[in-house]
Amino acid sequence: MKLRTIGIAVIAVFILILKLPLTGNTKKAFHSPEDIQFFTNHMITPLDSGQYFHLPQQCKGCHGFDSLHLANVDINGNDINLYDDWETSMMGLAGIDPLWKAKVSHEIQVNPAHANELQTLCTSCHAPLGHYTAFYKGQPFYTLADLANDSLGKSGVSCHSCHAIKDSTSLGYSFTGEIPYDTNRYIYGPFPGPMPGPMQLYVSLTPTYGPHMSDSKTCSPCHTLISHTVDLTGTPTGTTFVEQAVYQEYLNSEYPTSLQTTCQNCHMPKIEDPIKIANGYTALPGRTPFNLHSFAGANAFMVNLIKNNKTSLGSSAPDANFDSTLVAINNLLKTQTLAVNANFDSTASDTAYFNVSLLNKAGHKFPSAYPSRRAVLQFVAIKANGDTLFSSGLFDSNFEVKNIPSPYSPHFNTINQESQSQIYEMVMGDVNGNVTTVLERAYSQLKDNRIPPFGFTTTHASYDTVKIVGDALSDPDFNKTLSVEGSGRDIVHYNIPLNGYTGALTINASVYYQAVPPGWLNEMRNYSSAEIDTFLNMYDNADRSPILVSNDTLNNVMITTGIASPKNNNSIVVTPNPTADGIVYIKNISKGINVTVSVYNAAGQIVNAEVAIRNDNAKIVLPNKEGIYFISITEGKKRTTKKIVYLK
């Protein structure tokens, strides 16, 4: 007790010293006056006995906004502080997420005897600091009632939630909220040679280099969730159900191997600027590459809903921070998620034939994660006078897809009726094979045609966890090219009845994303609780418009007769493949029409490549980096894509 009293006295003296007037160049001070005031207001002291985690606000003084504009800014002076970016992400909002709370309430009303276990399971990932503090103190359960009075839990997936994860042998192999935390007060970061003094003094944590912080396995404990199934009476079946397995989807792809891309690369984008990551500490060297803490995913709907209800939900984050998060989400959705290409094939027998190619550019299935999420392919053919000749995948006034058959829409390889719509989703079934949205009743997948990532195969070790289910499995164009798996692509064929029409057509092919489609809430609407009623009121008053992810348009497609249009008999060849020096040649390009060539990397990003087109041939010099590339050749209205492997 005496030693502890002396320690506290030393810290008090140190804070008093910091509060003395600063002389000379204030930029050399360890902390600015504003930072010191923040520390004083929040009574920053080392963790006491029986404490394991800090609130994120206790990290904000060093890793939040720098009033001197020296730290947590890029080379152009733009603020990129960790705290503000994180606070309005779904990681930062996880502990107050009203959909999550409503769904937990729904589940425990369906099976009230399991209430404590269900809540304890769900809080392990949505409120990990509160959950694990209770666990370490010997509490058997951590419920929504506990969360309501716990600032640690309500902080969601905060700084300590991730940076206290240790590189144990179980990391990457234990899931469903089993997080291997280091309780010895080490805090892990991705940069070698951390300076331990300040953090040890202020928050009694020792910063430690942890290469695993840049490894996807650090995300695995919560991004693979396996539940125990019960029947309709609440009796355990003795089986399990994979609610989500983003990490296994990622493993079953080229991203962790040949593409060397991690979860952090996309959801915490790297910048090469040397960033000073602690405010007021000019001696700290700039760290590079630096991962932005925006944590952009795909759930713009819930971020916007929480923004519009932030006061009642307990968030004090500025609207500007929410808006920045929404910009990051929309940028990820529109640039790194999906590529859509529409192509005109031919006409015959009073029918026009088109196909739409969808390339998944994410490192996991699209859509992925929580099973409510779905994507809808919309295809519309418009006549020259503006009338619609054919449409599929339209939404009604409630933002439900029109003409969905009961109990759910199947997967299509070919669509030839307006009542058919391609919906990419996972559909859960109970023990009787009926559709359910009650997670604990999920017994089997009735459908899973979510588009796999590039390199995904049915022979991978993780496939039993991330299966393709339903008609997509036998679709020759689903994740296959010439029967070879791993394309990460689906091609949908549209056979459009012309009914005698001749003239120009405009084709619009669009993919829309819905995080919380209306049908997902139908079962929940049969129950009432404070959490359910609160969320449904927010949902019904929210902007529920589906988000456009990607689209393609064909203009002035000329339909002349019902006789088959002549096809170009030339077969484009790209050789050699693989290439050892990065030089490839395109042969048999059409003459006399406009030809363009673009080169993309495996993530779907356009890259700088030297392209020289002459007559019916072209030469391409790829970037000086091994990997997989896609070469897109457009000849008038015709587009051809070829995959090239560059191996030195």
Side-chain angles (χ1 to χ4, degrees):
M1 179 64 71
K2 184 176 181 180
L3 289 175
R4 181 181 168 193
T5 302
I6 293 172
I8 293 174
V10 170
I11 292 170
V13 170
F14 188 81
I15 292 177
L16 286 173
I17 292 172
L18 286 176
K19 294 171 70 175
L20 292 174
L22 298 172
T23 58
N25 186 356
T26 60
K27 293 183 179 181
K28 293 182 179 180
F30 183 79
H31 284 291
S32 69
E34 291 84 0
D35 294 335
I36 295 170
Q37 186 61 51
F38 179 86
F39 294 143
T40 303
N41 291 344
H42 288 77
M43 299 181 68
I44 297 287
T45 58
L47 286 167
D48 202 351
S49 176
Q51 292 179 308
Y52 301 93
F53 306 109
H54 276 303
L55 288 166
Q57 289 81 0
Q58 292 172 293
C59 307
K60 183 178 181 180
C62 283
H63 302 296
F65 177 75
D66 180 17
S67 59
L68 298 178
H69 307 291
L70 297 175
N72 294 303
V73 294
D74 64 18
I75 58 173
N76 296 315
N78 298 308
D79 174 51
I80 54 170
N81 80 80
L82 290 72
Y83 185 91
D84 286 353
D85 279 354
W86 157 84
E87 185 180 26
T88 48
S89 69
M90 285 309 298
M91 304 279 273
L93 302 171
I96 63 170
D97 179 352
L99 170 60
W100 168 66
K101 289 184 177 181
K103 197 69 185 73
V104 173
S105 179
H106 176 206
E107 296 280 333
I108 63 180
Q109 288 196 53
V110 172
N111 289 304
H114 306 163
N116 286 333
E117 290 82 4
L118 283 167
Q119 293 173 88
T120 301
L121 172 64
C122 294
T123 54
S124 64
C125 284
H126 272 260
L129 299 189
H131 170 103
Y132 273 91
T133 296
F135 176 77
Y136 294 145
K137 291 183 176 182
Q139 293 177 215
F141 305 113
Y142 185 79
T143 67
L144 293 183
D146 297 319
L147 173 63
N149 300 302
D150 182 10
S151 54
L152 270 176
K154 288 192 286 188
S155 69
V157 185
S158 58
C159 318
H160 223 145
S161 303
C162 294
H163 288 280
I165 297 175
K166 62 184 177 182
D167 191 11
S168 74
T169 55
S170 67
L171 192 60
Y173 297 95
S174 60
F175 313 114
T176 317
E178 296 180 1
I179 307 174
Y181 279 128
D182 191 322
T183 57
N184 295 313
R185 299 184 179 177
Y186 288 94
I187 197 84
Y188 297 95
F191 301 115
M195 295 184 176
M199 292 190 73
Q200 289 175 331
L201 176 65
Y202 280 113
V203 290
S204 68
L205 297 174
T206 300
T208 304
Y209 174 48
H212 64 290
M213 296 308 298
S214 299
D215 194 308
S216 295
K217 67 182 180 181
T218 302
C219 310
S220 67
C222 284
H223 289 281
T224 297
L225 200 157
I226 303 170
S227 58
H228 293 277
T229 302
V230 301
D231 64 18
L232 303 189
T233 68
T235 303
T237 63
T239 60
T240 57
F241 181 82
V242 180
E243 178 198 306
Q244 56 180 284
V246 186
Y247 181 63
Q248 276 70 30
E249 293 167 6
Y250 161 80
L251 291 179
N252 190 353
S253 77
E254 291 290 340
Y255 284 82
T257 52
S258 63
L259 300 180
Q260 298 184 352
T261 301
T262 66
C263 306
Q264 293 88 335
N265 292 153
C266 295
H267 298 286
M268 301 176 67
K270 285 183 180 179
I271 60 174
E272 299 300 325
D273 304 8
I275 307 299
K276 292 183 180 295
I277 59 175
N279 297 340
Y281 191 12
T282 56
L284 185 71
R287 300 299 197 179
T288 183
F290 175 80
N291 289 91
L292 299 172
H293 280 53
S294 53
F295 296 106
N299 204 349
F301 172 76
M302 284 305 303
V303 171
N304 196 53
L305 182 146
I306 294 172
K307 171 192 172 184
N308 292 330
N309 297 277
K310 66 179 186 179
T311 301
S312 62
L313 292 173
S315 172
S316 59
D319 283 356
N321 291 0
F322 279 99
D323 294 338
S324 295
T325 295
L326 290 168
V327 168
I329 291 173
N330 284 312
N331 180 65
L332 183 77
L333 274 171
K334 295 181 186 300
T335 63
Q336 294 180 251
T337 302
L338 196 72
V340 175
N341 289 304
N343 300 283
F344 173 52
D345 187 4
S346 62
T347 58
S349 303
D350 202 33
T351 302
Y353 296 90
F354 295 87
N355 68 74
V356 179
S357 171
L358 291 79
L359 174 65
N360 182 3
K361 299 194 291 184
H364 45 69
K365 289 185 179 182
F366 174 74
S368 187
Y370 190 63
S372 69
R373 301 171 179 182
R374 72 180 185 186
V376 179
L377 174 56
Q378 187 176 98
F379 183 94
V380 181
I382 303 172
K383 298 179 183 179
N385 64 2
D387 291 342
T388 298
L389 175 67
F390 183 92
S391 62
S392 166
L394 300 184
F395 295 92
D396 63 21
S397 59
N398 193 42
F399 304 107
E400 185 55 270
V401 180
K402 292 182 177 180
N403 303 315
I404 293 182
S406 180
Y408 57 88
S409 180
H411 173 85
F412 295 99
N413 175 255
T414 299
I415 289 177
N416 52 29
Q417 301 175 36
E418 291 187 318
S419 60
Q420 300 169 332
S421 296
Q422 187 76 306
I423 302 175
Y424 297 97
E425 60 187 345
M426 189 257 275
V427 178
M428 304 187 303
D430 62 23
V431 292
N432 294 332
N434 296 319
V435 174
T436 184
T437 57
V438 179
L439 298 171
E440 199 181 15
R441 286 182 174 175
Y443 178 76
S444 64
Q445 291 179 324
L446 304 179
K447 171 189 177 184
D448 189 346
N449 71 332
R450 296 173 298 171
I451 305 174
F454 177 68
F456 183 98
T457 68
T458 58
T459 57
H460 190 273
S462 71
Y463 180 71
D464 60 341
T465 308
V466 291
K467 290 181 179 179
I468 300 168
V469 179
D471 297 326
L473 190 59
S474 58
D475 182 346
D477 296 314
F478 187 84
N479 193 43
K480 298 185 186 78
T481 301
L482 299 177
S483 300
V484 177
E485 293 182 312
S487 70
R489 184 190 305 270
D490 185 32
I491 299 175
V492 184
H493 302 269
Y494 287 87
N495 300 348
I496 308 303
L498 294 173
N499 299 318
Y501 176 75
T502 60
L505 280 180
T506 298
I507 303 298
N508 291 316
S510 307
V511 172
Y512 289 92
Y513 175 79
Q514 291 178 294
V516 193
W520 180 260
L521 304 176
N522 288 344
E523 284 185 279
M524 183 190 292
R525 290 184 185 275
N526 295 323
Y527 296 85
S528 178
S529 69
E531 294 83 5
I532 291 173
D533 297 345
T534 295
F535 171 70
L536 290 179
N537 181 62
M538 293 177 179
Y539 179 86
D540 292 339
N541 287 284
D543 179 2
R544 292 175 282 124
S545 305
I547 296 176
L548 176 64
V549 177
S550 183
N551 71 302
D552 192 21
T553 300
L554 301 178
N555 293 307
N556 296 316
V557 178
M558 296 306 300
I559 306 297
T560 55
T561 68
I563 302 173
S565 302
K567 294 184 180 180
N568 186 347
N569 291 323
N570 292 338
S571 177
I572 289 180
V573 175
V574 180
T575 186
N577 189 13
T579 174
D581 57 7
I583 299 175
V584 295
Y585 297 90
I586 306 174
K587 299 180 180 180
N588 298 333
I589 298 175
S590 299
K591 296 181 180 179
I593 61 175
N594 185 41
V595 175
T596 59
V597 176
S598 301
V599 181
Y600 299 83
N601 61 21
Q605 301 164 319
I606 197 164
V607 299
N608 291 323
E610 297 180 25
V611 179
I613 301 174
R614 178 175 296 178
N615 296 323
D616 61 348
N617 292 288
K619 176 183 177 181
I620 299 177
V621 180
L622 298 172
N624 187 26
K625 183 178 181 181
E626 289 184 309
I628 296 171
Y629 294 88
F630 292 91
I631 299 175
S632 177
I633 306 110
T634 302
E635 306 166 281
K637 296 184 177 64
K638 178 185 175 183
R639 184 183 290 108
T640 303
T641 302
K642 299 287 186 178
K643 181 177 77 174
I644 290 293
V645 178
Y646 181 11
L647 294 175
K648 295 182 181 179

